[in-house]
Amino acid sequence: MGVKGFVEGGIASIVAGCSTHPLDLIKVRMQLQGEAAAAPQPALRPALAFHAGGHAVALPHHHDIPAAAAPRKPGPLAVGAQILRSEGAAGLFSGLSATMLRQTLYSTTRMGLYDILKTKWTPQDSGGVLPLHRKIAAGLVAGGVGAAVGNPADVAMVRMQADGRLPLAERRNYAGVGDAIGRMARDEGVRSLWRGSSLTVNRAMIVTASQLATYDQAKEAILARRGPGADGLATHVAASFTAGIVAAAASNPVDVVKTRMMNMKVAPGAPPPYAGAVDCALKTVRSEGPMALYKGFIPTVMRQGPFTVVLFVTLEQVRKVFKGVDF
């Protein structure tokens, strides 16, 4: 029972992660927009006037000059097109090896553990139906454990996805996920592999609890209304897309802070840009406004929706293949 759940969840997670990787990369690039923007320069006081035709002409005061409008941030399509222009089609798959390792460690652990807890916590007299609060609790535990296991791959994935936005001289140019993890451990210490781990764990708990619990709850509601015969592709797609939207809305603020914490560069002898997760969130809100915590929300939904659909549709098919097989 235990091993089977891990294998089924791992296969489905790797397929879903690889197929939606470009959308995840666009989301990461959008979440980092504005992070390194220079602070606006203070307006200069006006100098006095010059003479023209015998009359003194005063220069206008700074408050009379309309402020330049802030440049509009590009949307997901523009970001994707920019990546294609500057990095080529291969740029959309930057960090794919890290995604595969992350899904192997993080998602395999959370999916398998959730399956075990769901089975153990289902009351004997419930007809195999787990109450919603227990589904949420199982998701919180499974997500937290999976995130702790997969954090090194998560850090490597964020850095590899974000590398293309940096100037050529500042790029890390990791050869792959193994090179990324090795260089981080060597240059920044082993602890750097768990940078932002508290955020990763919090996000994973939120995502897993909302995603898996919502899918199971939505699927049960559809089958209760339409009967067991409706347990097919349409039901799986509807339940999984609902779960993806709920997970995206719940996790986006934590995801933005996590991405920035993992991507920050710490120069030798210099203080880190962010002292911690709370400091990162406060600085982000102070410099870019509260809605900055929902940067990348559209691509998050665009990624979470298809990812969750592919994840659960694949999972249901894998379960059919392994039905009756014990390992």
Side-chain angles (χ1 to χ4, degrees), residues 4-5 7-9 11 315-327:
K4 187 176 179 180
V7 172
E8 292 172 344
I11 293 172
L315 180 62
E316 297 284 0
Q317 299 307 310
V318 171
R319 282 175 175 168
K320 289 181 181 178
V321 171
F322 287 134
K323 189 175 182 180
V325 180
D326 293 322
F327 55 89

Side-chain angles (χ1 to χ4, degrees), residues 136-163:
I136 293 172
L140 291 171
V141 173
V145 174
V149 172
N151 202 82
D154 209 356
V155 177
M157 183 187 72
V158 167
R159 290 192 175 195
M160 292 173 73
Q161 288 178 333
D163 213 33

Side-chain angles (χ1 to χ4, degrees), residues 11-53:
I11 293 172
S13 297
I14 292 170
V15 171
C18 291
S19 60
T20 59
H21 182 81
L23 297 175
D24 193 48
L25 184 141
I26 291 171
K27 176 204 73 174
V28 167
R29 296 285 179 91
M30 291 188 70
Q31 288 175 338
L32 293 171
Q33 285 177 359
E35 182 183 32
Q41 297 297 318
L44 297 176
R45 295 189 63 81
L48 200 196
F50 57 90
H51 289 272

Side-chain angles (χ1 to χ4, degrees), residues 41 67 113 136 157 165 215 235:
Q41 297 297 318
L113 189 55
I136 293 172
M157 183 187 72
R165 67 184 284 274
Y215 176 77
T235 295

Side-chain angles (χ1 to χ4, degrees), residues 52-285:
H55 299 285
V57 181
L59 293 176
H61 290 280
H62 65 277
H63 55 260
D64 295 328
I65 303 174
R72 187 176 179 182
K73 298 290 191 297
L77 293 179
V79 171
Q82 187 178 39
I83 293 170
L84 284 173
R85 281 195 304 271
S86 60
E87 303 169 50
L92 290 173
F93 291 90
S94 298
L96 182 61
S97 60
T99 292
M100 294 181 68
L101 180 61
R102 176 178 180 268
Q103 296 299 338
T104 302
L105 297 176
Y106 158 63
S107 289
T108 299
T109 302
R110 75 182 183 116
M111 297 289 286
L113 189 55
Y114 177 79
D115 205 31
I116 291 174
L117 294 175
K118 190 171 70 168
T119 302
K120 287 186 177 296
W121 292 353
T122 300
Q124 294 278 342
D125 56 351
S126 66
V129 177
L130 185 68
L132 178 60
H133 69 279
R134 292 194 180 183
K135 291 185 184 114
I136 293 172
L140 291 171
V141 173
V145 174
V149 172
N151 202 82
D154 209 356
V155 177
M157 183 187 72
V158 167
R159 290 192 175 195
M160 292 173 73
Q161 288 178 333
D163 213 33
R165 67 184 284 274
L166 298 173
L168 288 174
E170 297 179 21
R171 292 184 184 178
R172 299 177 175 105
N173 294 318
Y174 295 129
V177 64
D179 179 49
I181 291 175
R183 280 170 54 184
M184 278 188 284
R186 188 169 57 251
D187 300 340
E188 304 171 49
V190 175
R191 290 181 62 184
S192 69
L193 297 176
W194 274 269
R195 180 173 290 158
S197 59
S198 61
L199 287 164
T200 307
V201 169
N202 289 336
R203 177 190 177 275
M205 291 172 71
I206 293 170
V207 168
T208 304
S210 57
Q211 186 186 65
L212 301 188
T214 301
Y215 176 77
D216 284 343
Q217 198 72 15
K219 181 181 173 183
E220 288 168 8
I222 294 171
L223 295 182
R225 184 181 179 86
R226 301 180 60 187
D231 190 6
L233 182 61
T235 295
H236 302 158
V237 170
S240 57
F241 191 75
T242 302
I245 293 175
V246 172
S251 65
N252 204 87
V254 180
D255 200 27
V256 170
V257 176
K258 175 187 79 77
T259 297
R260 295 189 173 199
M261 286 286 295
M262 288 181 169
N263 187 59
M264 70 176 177
K265 274 193 170 184
V266 182
Y274 307 118
V278 175
D279 181 52
C280 179
L282 290 175
K283 285 181 177 176
T284 299
V285 171

